[in-house]
C-alpha cells in the first residue's frame, strides 16, 4: 500500500487537515440484506457496490476543485484479493484515496481516529462523512473549508442537495435534508471525535454547535436497489446539465440521461415530496434556532 501523504491548508496563521471518511464493506451484526431483500457482502454485492463507488462516488472526489484533503475509506479485512486488486488500481490513480482494512464495524470509530492521529501535524482537523454510493459537488471540499474559522468544535450541514435514482427508473431532482449524511466537523486536533462519533446523522439534532447552510447544493444521494433504507424523495424539475457538476462516469451519465423519466409523469409526486420535505426542514431548523 502506498505511504500516506498529509494534506493541509493554510488559513491565516492557522493550519488544518481535512479528512473525508467513508465506510465500505465492514461486517456488522444484523446487516444481512438490502431493502430489496438480497444478501449483502457477497461477491455479487461487492461487485455492484464497487461499480457504484467508482462511477458515482470516486469520480466525484477525483474532480474536486480543492484537492487538499485525504480520503480514508475503510474496507473489511475479509475483502477477497480480487476486490483488493480493484481497490489498489483506484489507489494508484488518485493520491488522496487511502484504503484501510479493519476487522469489521466494531473497529471503525476507533480506527478512524487512530488513522487520523497518525497523519496529523496541524492544530485543527476537519472530517467529512461520505457514503460509498453517493456523490459530492465538485466544490464540496472548497465550501466546507470556507467555513473554517479556528473553531474548537463546529459541524457544517449543507441542507440542500440533489437526489438521483438510478434503478429501476431514473429520476433526478432536488433534495433537502437537515442533519444529512454529508456533514462535516471542524475541531481542534488534540482530542478529536470525528464527524462519525454520532453513528446516525439524525443524532445531530441535539448538538448545538452546528451551522446549517442553505441554498448551496453540495451533495447528491444516489438511490439504488441495494440501499438499506433510502427511498426517492426528490422534487422539482431540475435541468439535466446540473448533474455535470458531480462528475459521474461519462458513459453512465449518458445512459442515465437517455432513461430519465420525464418530469411531467411524476409532477404530482414531486409536489407531495416538496411539501413533506419543506415541512420537515423548516420544523427542524426552527427547533435548532430554539436550541441555539
Amino acid at each position: 500500500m502506498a505511504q500516506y501523504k498529509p494534506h493541509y491548508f493554510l488559513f491565516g496563521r492557522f493550519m488544518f487537515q481535512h479528512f473525508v471518511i467513508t465506510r465500505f464493506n465492514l461486517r456488522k451484526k444484523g446487516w444481512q440484506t438490502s431493502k430489496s431483500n438480497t444478501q449483502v457482502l457477497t461477491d455479487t454485492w461487492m461487485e455492484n457496490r464497487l461499480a457504484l463507488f467508482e462511477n458515482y462516488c470516486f469520480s466525484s472526489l477525483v474532480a474536486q476543485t480543492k484537492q487538499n484533503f485525504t480520503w480514508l475509506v475503510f474496507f473489511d479485512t475479509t475483502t477477497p484479493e480480487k476486490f483488493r486488486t480493484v481497490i489498489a488500481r483506484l489507489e494508484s490513480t488518485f493520491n488522496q484515496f487511502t484504503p484501510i482494512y479493519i476487522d469489521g464495524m466494531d473497529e471503525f470509530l476507533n480506527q478512524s481516529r487512530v488513522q487520523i492521529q497518525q497523519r496529523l501535524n496541524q492544530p485543527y482537523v476537519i472530517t467529512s462523512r461520505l457514503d460509498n454510493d453517493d456523490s459530492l459537488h465538485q466544490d464540496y471540499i472548497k465550501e466546507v473549508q470556507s467555513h473554517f474559522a479556528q473553531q474548537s468544535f463546529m459541524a457544517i450541514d449543507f441542507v440542500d442537495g440533489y437526489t438521483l435514482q438510478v434503478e429501476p427508473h431514473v429520476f433526478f431532482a432536488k433534495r433537502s435534508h437537515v442533519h444529512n449524511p454529508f456533514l462535516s466537523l471542524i475541531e481542534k486536533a488534540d482530542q478529536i471525535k470525528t464527524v462519525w462519533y454520532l453513528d446516525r446523522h439524525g443524532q445531530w439534532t441535539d448538538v448545538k454547535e452546528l451551522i446549517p447552510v442553505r441554498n448551496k447544493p453540495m451533495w447528491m444521494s444516489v438511490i439504488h436497489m441495494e440501499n438499506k433504507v433510502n427511498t426517492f424523495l426528490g422534487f422539482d424539475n431540475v435541468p439535466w446539465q446540473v448533474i455535470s457538476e458531480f462528475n459521474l462516469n461519462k458513459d453512465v451519465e449518458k445512459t442515465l440521461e437517455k432513461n430519465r423519466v420525464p418530469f411531467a409523469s411524476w409532477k404530482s409526486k414531486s409536489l407531495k415530496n416538496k411539501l413533506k420535505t419543506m415541512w420537515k426542514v423548516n420544523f427542524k431548523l426552527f427547533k435548532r434556532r430554539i436550541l441555539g
Side-chain angles (χ1 to χ4, degrees), residues 163-172 221-224 232 256:
T163 184
L164 171 68
Q165 180 174 300
V166 300
E167 57 182 353
H169 306 290
V170 178
F171 297 94
F172 176 53
S221 61
V222 179
I223 311 300
H224 52 88
F232 181 78
L256 290 170

Side-chain angles (χ1 to χ4, degrees), residues 50-261:
L50 276 173
L52 284 165
F53 178 68
E54 187 168 1
N55 292 330
Y56 296 91
C57 186
F58 185 84
S59 59
S60 76
L61 270 291
V62 170
Q64 288 297 303
T65 55
K66 286 284 188 179
Q67 289 286 318
N68 50 312
F69 66 94
T70 300
W71 188 14
L72 306 178
V73 184
F74 290 85
F75 297 88
D76 203 274
T77 52
T78 60
T79 303
E81 186 60 33
K82 63 180 179 180
F83 299 127
R84 291 184 183 232
T85 300
V86 175
I87 295 163
R89 171 178 60 79
L90 295 175
E91 182 182 14
S92 70
T93 65
F94 186 38
N95 186 55
Q96 282 76 358
F97 175 60
T98 306
I100 298 166
Y101 294 88
I102 61 175
D103 188 18
M105 191 69 77
D106 290 343
E107 287 194 359
F108 171 68
L109 186 57
N110 179 61
Q111 273 299 311
S112 62
R113 292 169 178 163
V114 168
Q115 294 294 331
I116 289 173
Q117 288 166 344
Q118 289 177 353
R119 293 162 167 80
L120 273 179
N121 52 27
Q122 307 303 323
Y124 292 92
V125 61
I126 303 174
T127 51
S128 298
R129 58 175 291 164
L130 174 64
D131 290 341
N132 60 60
D133 53 354
D134 289 330
S135 302
L136 296 179
H137 187 279
Q138 61 195 16
D139 288 331
Y140 176 88
I141 296 294
K142 175 184 175 182
E143 289 294 332
V144 170
Q145 294 179 1
S146 74
H147 288 274
F148 174 72
Q150 308 153 38
Q151 300 99 322
S152 297
F153 185 90
M154 183 62 69
I156 310 299
D157 182 11
F158 292 103
V159 175
D160 304 300
Y162 297 99
T163 184
L164 171 68
Q165 180 174 300
V166 300
E167 57 182 353
H169 306 290
V170 178
F171 297 94
F172 176 53
K174 294 179 182 177
R175 175 84 172 100
S176 295
H177 188 180
V178 179
H179 312 132
N180 58 63
F182 303 89
L183 283 161
S184 293
L185 178 64
I186 301 169
E187 56 187 329
K188 283 189 174 180
D190 50 0
Q191 287 186 319
I192 60 171
K193 291 185 175 182
T194 85
V195 71
W196 282 96
Y197 90 98
L198 295 175
D199 181 56
R200 291 182 289 109
H201 48 87
Q203 293 174 310
W204 285 89
T205 300
D206 298 321
V207 177
K208 182 179 179 180
E209 298 84 3
L210 182 145
I211 301 172
V213 181
R214 298 304 311 272
N215 303 315
K216 285 195 174 182
M218 288 290 113
W219 49 265
M220 183 171 69
S221 61
V222 179
I223 311 300
H224 52 88
M225 296 306 293
E226 290 184 349
N227 286 127
K228 185 172 177 61
V229 294
N230 285 359
T231 56
F232 181 78
L233 297 172
F235 56 87
D236 283 357
N237 190 12
V238 179
W240 181 258
Q241 58 265 31
V242 170
I243 209 168
S244 66
E245 298 170 2
F246 292 86
N247 297 282
L248 310 184
N249 175 286
K250 293 304 179 185
D251 291 335
V252 169
E253 183 182 326
K254 289 178 182 178
T255 300
L256 290 170
E257 181 180 14
K258 181 180 178 181
N259 296 322
R260 184 187 186 188
V261 176

Side-chain angles (χ1 to χ4, degrees), residues 261-277:
V261 176
F263 179 72
S265 67
W266 64 280
K267 192 173 182 179
S268 60
K269 180 179 180 180
S270 168
L271 180 59
K272 291 178 182 178
N273 285 348
K274 186 172 186 176
L275 292 173
K276 184 177 180 179
T277 297

